[in-house]
């Protein structure tokens, strides 16, 4: 389908921790979409906005490249993507949101002793966030070997792929199920509404002002 020039394009996560909350937020802002997720592109019925359902990891790039005007994405994914790109100038964080809370943490097999970061020197660390992990270890002055995996990071120690992991922790149940324990937090995150850094055309800018006003009302009401 064509994406008309006078409608805002917003990228949200197709399925995952942010999906339901992202859709609920739009609903609370009075933006109606029906039968979500069956199509990858949906037009709001009552507002000049189109929704694109994608993998969360793709959202920063879609917004930075201007394929979408807006995106709702975790600050963890955003920061990783910006580090990889080497610049934060292609997007603007318009609002931080009150959902999607999580932390990026270093976790070890439960039985592995730990007294401090120096215990990790020279170990292999599996992660889907190589940039954030690399930056943290560099800042701490601890040498480490990063093993990049796009998913199922928590299984890496048992497979012998890595000694420890650096992954997102939300409820903690994934770590618990895999007999891992978090020892250091390297990044704290919530969801954020981001916009491509280039100015919106007047029609879109007007629509976006309305979105922001409603969003601020919703977030203020939620406290
Ligand atoms: C993260 C992480 C774990 C899970 C941890 O994945 O990779 O799989 O969440 O959550 P828990 O502490 O509540 O068990 P995410 O939701 O970011 O999905 P993705 O890796 O598929 O993008
Ligand atoms: Zn993801
Ligand atoms: Mg995951």
């Amino acid at each position: 389908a064509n994406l008309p020039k006078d409608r805002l394009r917003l990228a949200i996560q197709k399925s995952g921790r942010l999906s339901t909350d992202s859709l609920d937020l739009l609903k609370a802002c009075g933006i109606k979409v029906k039968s979500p997720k069956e199509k990858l592109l949906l037009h709001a019925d009552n507002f000049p906005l189109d929704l694109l359902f994608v993998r969360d990891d793709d959202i920063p790039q879609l917004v930075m490249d201007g394929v979408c005007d807006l995106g709702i994405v975790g600050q963890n994914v955003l920061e990783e993507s910006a580090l990889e790109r080497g610049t934060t100038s292609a997007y603007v964080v318009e609002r931080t949101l009150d959902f999607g809370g999580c932390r990026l943490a270093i976790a070890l097999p439960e039985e592995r002793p730990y007294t401090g970061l120096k215990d990790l020197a020279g170990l292999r660390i599996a992660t889907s966030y190589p940039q954030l992990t690399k930056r943290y270890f560099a800042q701490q002055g601890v040498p480490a070997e990063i093993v990049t995996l796009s998913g199922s990071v928590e299984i890496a120690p048992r497979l012998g792929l890595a000694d420890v992991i650096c992954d997102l922790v939300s409820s903690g149940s994934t770590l618990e199920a895999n007999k891992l324990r978090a020892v250091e937090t390297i990044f704290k995150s919530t969801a954020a509404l981001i916009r491509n850094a280039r100015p919106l055309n007047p029609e879109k800018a007007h629509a976006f002002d309305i979105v922001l006003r409603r969003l601020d009302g919703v977030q203020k009401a939620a406290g």
Side-chain angles (χ1 to χ4, degrees):
N2 276 342
L3 293 164
K5 292 224 180 316
D6 55 351
R7 295 176 66 84
L8 289 166
R9 303 165 201 171
L10 168 67
I12 69 170
Q13 188 181 30
K14 183 172 155 59
S15 68
R17 281 179 307 115
L18 305 182
S19 305
T20 307
D21 287 334
S22 301
L23 284 170
D24 286 351
L25 180 62
L26 291 177
K27 204 168 152 192
C29 291
I31 297 171
K32 280 192 198 153
V33 290
K34 44 175 180 256
S35 64
K37 294 181 194 176
E38 278 139 47
K39 289 177 156 187
L40 294 182
L41 173 67
L42 273 185
H43 309 282
D45 297 332
N46 61 348
F47 203 82
L49 180 142
D50 296 325
L51 267 184
L52 217 56
F53 294 90
V54 293
R55 283 198 56 189
D56 64 338
D57 314 66
D58 293 333
I59 293 174
Q61 202 177 342
L62 287 168
V63 173
M64 292 189 223
D65 289 344
V67 177
C68 292
D69 305 298
L70 306 170
I72 295 178
V73 67
Q75 289 166 289
N76 53 309
V77 168
L78 179 63
E79 184 79 2
E80 177 71 19
S81 195
L83 284 172
E84 196 179 317
R85 205 175 173 106
T87 172
T88 56
S89 62
Y91 67 89
V92 177
V93 176
E94 290 282 357
R95 294 292 185 277
T96 55
L97 303 172
D98 57 10
F99 60 84
C102 61
R103 61 194 176 108
L104 188 60
I106 300 168
L108 324 183
E110 274 170 0
E111 68 283 0
R112 190 175 187 113
Y114 185 76
T115 60
L117 263 183
K118 60 172 181 4
D119 292 354
L120 305 181
L123 297 187
R124 289 165 307 158
I125 301 166
T127 186
S128 306
Y129 298 85
Q131 303 288 341
L132 285 166
T133 305
K134 205 187 300 170
R135 181 176 71 177
Y136 178 77
F137 278 92
Q139 280 168 352
Q140 301 295 324
V142 175
E145 185 190 329
I146 313 277
V147 179
T148 304
L149 296 175
S150 56
S152 304
V153 168
E154 58 278 354
I155 209 170
R158 258 184 298 155
L159 294 179
L161 266 172
D163 305 296
V164 304
I165 70 168
C166 183
D167 198 14
L168 283 192
V169 183
S170 176
S171 67
S173 62
T174 301
L175 289 189
E176 200 186 330
N178 290 282
K179 300 195 187 320
L180 299 165
R181 63 179 175 122
V183 295
E184 305 284 350
T185 294
I186 79 166
F187 191 83
K188 283 190 183 149
S189 177
T190 63
L193 171 65
I194 61 170
R195 176 176 65 78
N196 180 274
R198 296 171 65 180
L200 296 166
N201 71 35
E203 289 90 346
K204 287 184 180 184
H206 177 67
F208 186 52
D209 281 344
I210 297 171
V211 172
L212 284 182
R213 216 180 311 141
R214 291 182 185 179
L215 181 64
D216 290 341
V218 169
Q219 291 223 112
K220 196 187 278 171

